[in-house]
Amino acid sequence: MTEFLLGAAGFVLLTVAIGLIRVLGGPGNVDRTMAVQLLGTGGIAALLLVAAATGVRGAEDVALGLALLAAFASVAFVNSAAPEDDREAGRANE
Amino acid sequence: MNTAIDIFTVVAICAGAAFFMAGSVGLLRFPDSLTRLHALTKADNLGLGLIVLGLLPQADSLLGGLKLVAVWLLVQLASATVAQLIAQALRHRGRGT
């Protein structure tokens, strides 16, 4: 059973690697953000599988942290890509 | 009984991994950013949900199982909001240029 779990974790990481090709070729920054989101979710799935297979303590907590960070990475991108008028509005009321 | 649980786990995790593959292929093959966003967010969530479902019987304690479900719920909420944010950024980008 553990070999199957580790194999599944490897397969998920393989799919994440395929998704990262989009990061290289991605026409826009938005596609790169999506690939990072895919990396986050795939990483979480692989972590959970490895945690179940090897029984390492705390791997689920790492997966929980990765889930949080992946969300923040995308939010940071969206904020940085805010159009001029929002940023001007922000500066106006400072 | 134990083999039934193992079979269930194997089937659920295979389905989850298949959805992950579908999400990644969708991310590569789809022509437009918005369709890629759709494919990525939905397929990954389902893939992770199935993998968590498959891992639940393997969890050693109730707390472990609850933690797995908590991770899945957080990813569910996070990617739902992120998908909306990215779509909005795309729409602003579309109108801005």
Side-chain angles (χ1 to χ4, degrees):
Chain A
M1 174 47 77
T2 55
E3 303 80 18
F4 169 73
L5 290 178
L6 290 176
F11 178 77
V12 166
L13 285 181
L14 182 71
T15 53
V16 166
I18 291 173
L20 283 184
I21 293 173
R22 170 57 61 194
V23 175
L24 288 177
N29 287 335
V30 182
D31 306 289
R32 294 194 173 91
T33 315
M34 283 188 243
V36 167
Q37 183 75 16
L38 171 77
L39 178 70
T41 313
I44 291 163
L47 261 171
L48 291 182
L49 285 166
V50 165
T54 56
V56 165
R57 304 305 311 158
E60 288 103 356
D61 306 334
V62 173
L64 206 59
L66 181 55
L68 204 55
L69 292 179
F72 283 154
S74 303
V75 169
F77 162 74
V78 170
N79 284 345
S80 69
E84 285 314 310
D85 45 12
D86 287 3
R87 213 168 294 162
E88 290 313 317
R91 199 163 295 135
N93 55 32
E94 254 154 26
Chain B
M1 181 52 191
N2 200 1
T3 54
I5 292 177
D6 284 354
I7 290 170
F8 168 74
T9 301
V10 167
V11 167
I13 289 183
C14 281
F19 274 102
F20 257 107
M21 174 57 95
S24 301
V25 166
L27 187 65
L28 287 181
R29 302 287 299 173
F30 278 175
D32 176 63
S33 286
L34 278 178
T35 48
R36 273 186 226 124
L37 178 68
H38 166 75
L40 173 78
T41 313
K42 309 307 184 286
D44 275 9
N45 265 333
L46 193 52
L48 189 64
L50 282 172
I51 287 178
V52 163
L53 197 65
L55 285 179
L56 277 184
Q58 304 287 340
D60 41 16
S61 68
L62 181 63
L63 180 63
L66 283 181
K67 197 180 286 187
L68 285 176
V69 172
V71 168
W72 179 55
L73 281 180
L74 177 61
V75 169
Q76 197 89 7
L77 290 174
S79 64
T81 47
V82 159
Q84 299 298 335
L85 285 174
I86 292 180
Q88 188 194 9
L90 268 173
R91 201 165 53 82
H92 276 313
R93 172 82 44 74
R95 205 177 35 188
T97 52

